[in-house]
Amino acid sequence: MSIKTGSRGYRGHFDRMVSTCALVVSVVATVLAVYTAYSESQQKKIENLVALYAYLHDPALSRARGAVRDPAFDASYFSDDVHRVCSSFDLAGNLVRNGAVDEFIFLDYWHATLLVLDKRLGPMWDREMADGQTVRMLYKDFYWLVQEAKKRR
């Protein structure tokens, strides 16, 4: 009888060990799944950042930024160059604001450009467009991006 009692005790101990091992394995699997998802998310952000940089460095957009940054730029006229600059950075601001692109890295690179563009386009922010919206409202994500750049002065 003592052998049977002893083997039942070992069986209970073995069952607890198996349960504990199963718990540890499931916790490790969960941690690995979370880490994998996080790594994939970070990789996707990097891919988005590279694609956005390529887009913003398109020759037509670069020329438009150059025209707006030019000291002779006339801020009283909403030109095609202004539209290109505003709409391109509105897209960038939307991607950054919604977390598709890392904000810190993006602003680290574009900070100075955004501040110069704000200086040139500042008089336009509150101008009403044909549909009654202001430039600030129409390009809200670009405006948000500029405000974030200003916080990092």
Side-chain angles (χ1 to χ4, degrees):
M1 292 258 223
S2 65
I3 294 174
K4 289 182 180 177
T5 306
S7 73
R8 282 186 189 150
Y10 289 125
R11 177 73 178 161
H13 180 69
F14 178 75
D15 289 344
R16 284 191 301 275
M17 271 185 27
V18 168
S19 294
T20 301
C21 286
L23 177 64
V24 168
V25 167
S26 67
V27 167
V28 168
T30 301
V31 167
L32 285 174
V34 168
Y35 176 75
T36 300
Y38 175 77
S39 294
E40 288 173 358
S41 169
Q42 291 303 98
Q43 180 63 33
K44 187 64 179 167
K45 279 187 173 185
I46 291 169
E47 290 170 8
N48 291 344
L49 182 68
V50 170
L52 181 58
Y53 279 15
Y55 166 72
L56 291 172
H57 283 291
D58 175 82
L61 295 178
S62 291
R63 279 191 299 277
R65 274 193 311 279
V68 172
R69 286 192 313 246
D70 188 317
F73 169 72
D74 181 8
S76 66
Y77 173 65
F78 196 83
S79 66
D80 287 341
D81 288 332
V82 171
H83 173 72
R84 283 186 191 99
V85 168
C86 290
S87 61
S88 63
F89 278 105
D90 195 55
L91 172 65
N94 186 280
L95 293 172
V96 170
R97 189 173 54 81
N98 288 298
V101 171
D102 186 271
E103 180 178 341
F104 179 82
I105 295 172
F106 183 85
L107 288 175
D108 186 54
Y109 185 86
W110 289 100
H111 175 263
T113 300
L114 289 166
L115 294 179
V116 171
L117 292 173
D118 179 53
K119 185 176 180 180
R120 298 281 187 256
L121 298 173
M124 290 188 168
W125 288 126
D126 293 318
R127 180 177 302 152
E128 278 194 30
M129 303 300 286
D131 60 359
Q133 289 188 6
T134 64
V135 173
R136 176 191 321 228
M137 291 164 48
L138 187 61
Y139 299 108
K140 68 182 185 323
D141 293 319
F142 176 31
Y143 185 77
W144 173 84
L145 201 56
V146 167
Q147 299 314 304
E148 293 302 304
K150 285 180 175 180
K151 290 177 188 176
R152 288 167 169 73
R153 281 186 185 187

